[in-house]
Amino acid sequence: MNFYEQLIKETETSRKKLAAVPQLIDGLSGAISRETYIAYLTQAYHHVSHTVRFLMSMGARLPAEHQSLQKVISEYIDEEVGHEEWILNDIAAAGGDKETARTSTPSLETQVLIAYNYDYILRKNPIGFFGMVFMLESTSVQLASKGAKALQQNLSLPNNAFSYLYSHGELDISHMQFFENVINKITADEDQAAIIEVAQNTFCLFANLLRAIPHTPQVSHHAA
């Protein structure tokens, strides 16, 4: 078993917790309201707006033995610059107010996800942030491949209301292949443990983020 396969195995429980969130279940089938979709995009904007800063913080704190990863991090940064603006444009195309979303206060659950990653990078092991990368990219592939088309059809929204999901579905399939190659070159036990820890925790924190999004009762699988 290579390390990527181990990472998948070690995150099985936390991935199942994420998969059980009602907002995600209904989102994947398209059974959420436009308001819930906009609320999801708003929280996505807030955490995605930190992705480049996470990566820069990670790169600045790499120990000498991991300097070879600087190029990898630079490639990730190039790919991620400006994605938060895609989300704001999707909000506007879906009928929301992107400036209201931009200046809104993220939910406590979103703030905890953001703060956890900064803390781990700064205080524990910057390599651990690859666990967050794994969580986000594997989740966005699932959302894009299973949810975006169903949502668009059920909400009767234009293509440009789904640019973030559609583009990430395409990008992150190739990203996951790239990620697998990178991650399998990380062999130190402490670094592997850090990646697994962050992945497990961020799947749970992202589940909390989704669970906190207001969910229209009449389209939920659960009674009000």
Side-chain angles (χ1 to χ4, degrees):
M1 181 185 297
N2 61 35
F3 178 53
Y4 182 74
E5 292 167 338
Q6 182 185 353
L7 181 59
I8 292 173
K9 179 181 178 181
E10 295 289 344
T11 56
E12 182 178 1
T13 298
S14 52
R15 286 187 288 110
K16 285 182 177 178
K17 290 180 180 178
L18 174 60
V21 174
Q23 286 86 337
L24 181 59
I25 293 170
D26 290 340
L28 292 176
S29 64
I32 61 172
S33 67
R34 184 178 64 89
E35 290 75 18
T36 297
Y37 178 53
I38 291 172
Y40 157 73
L41 289 175
T42 300
Q43 298 309 313
Y45 164 76
H46 285 300
H47 74 75
V48 169
S49 67
H50 288 270
T51 301
V52 170
R53 284 175 275 184
F54 284 145
L55 289 163
M56 292 174 70
S57 296
M58 177 188 182
R61 288 163 179 81
L62 286 177
E65 64 268 24
H66 285 309
Q67 289 305 304
S68 61
L69 289 173
Q70 293 285 7
K71 183 178 179 181
V72 171
I73 294 170
S74 295
E75 289 182 29
Y76 271 120
I77 289 172
D78 287 343
E79 289 282 358
E80 296 297 327
V81 168
H83 286 198
E84 68 273 18
E85 294 298 324
W86 296 359
I87 299 172
L88 292 176
N89 291 335
D90 286 353
I91 289 171
D97 186 325
K98 72 178 186 179
E99 293 309 317
T100 297
R102 189 195 302 272
T103 58
S104 65
T105 300
S107 69
L108 176 60
E109 291 78 9
T110 302
Q111 293 183 54
V112 171
L113 174 65
I114 294 166
Y116 172 78
N117 280 281
Y118 278 123
D119 179 71
Y120 207 98
I121 291 168
L122 296 173
R123 188 174 59 85
K124 296 188 76 174
N125 185 342
I127 297 297
F129 184 68
F130 278 127
M132 173 74 161
V133 174
F134 173 69
M135 186 281 289
L136 286 176
E137 294 193 349
S138 60
T139 302
S140 63
V141 168
Q142 181 186 33
L143 286 169
S145 63
K146 295 183 179 179
K149 289 183 179 179
L151 273 176
Q152 183 174 8
Q153 182 177 3
N154 285 3
L155 298 178
S156 299
L157 291 174
N159 284 341
N160 62 348
F162 295 89
S163 61
Y164 175 70
L165 287 182
Y166 281 142
S167 61
H168 263 250
E170 296 169 1
L171 282 173
D172 288 342
I173 290 173
S174 61
H175 278 187
M176 289 306 294
Q177 295 168 343
F178 178 70
F179 177 83
E180 180 177 355
N181 182 56
V182 170
I183 215 75
N184 281 332
K185 294 177 182 176
I186 296 174
T187 57
D189 289 345
E190 64 270 22
D191 292 331
Q192 291 184 350
I195 293 166
I196 290 170
E197 180 183 8
V198 172
Q200 290 172 334
N201 289 338
T202 54
F203 272 111
C204 292
L205 292 172
F206 191 65
N208 291 342
L209 182 160
L210 293 179
R211 199 177 288 114
I213 292 172
H215 194 28
T216 307
Q218 61 264 31
V219 298
S220 174
H221 288 307
H222 301 272

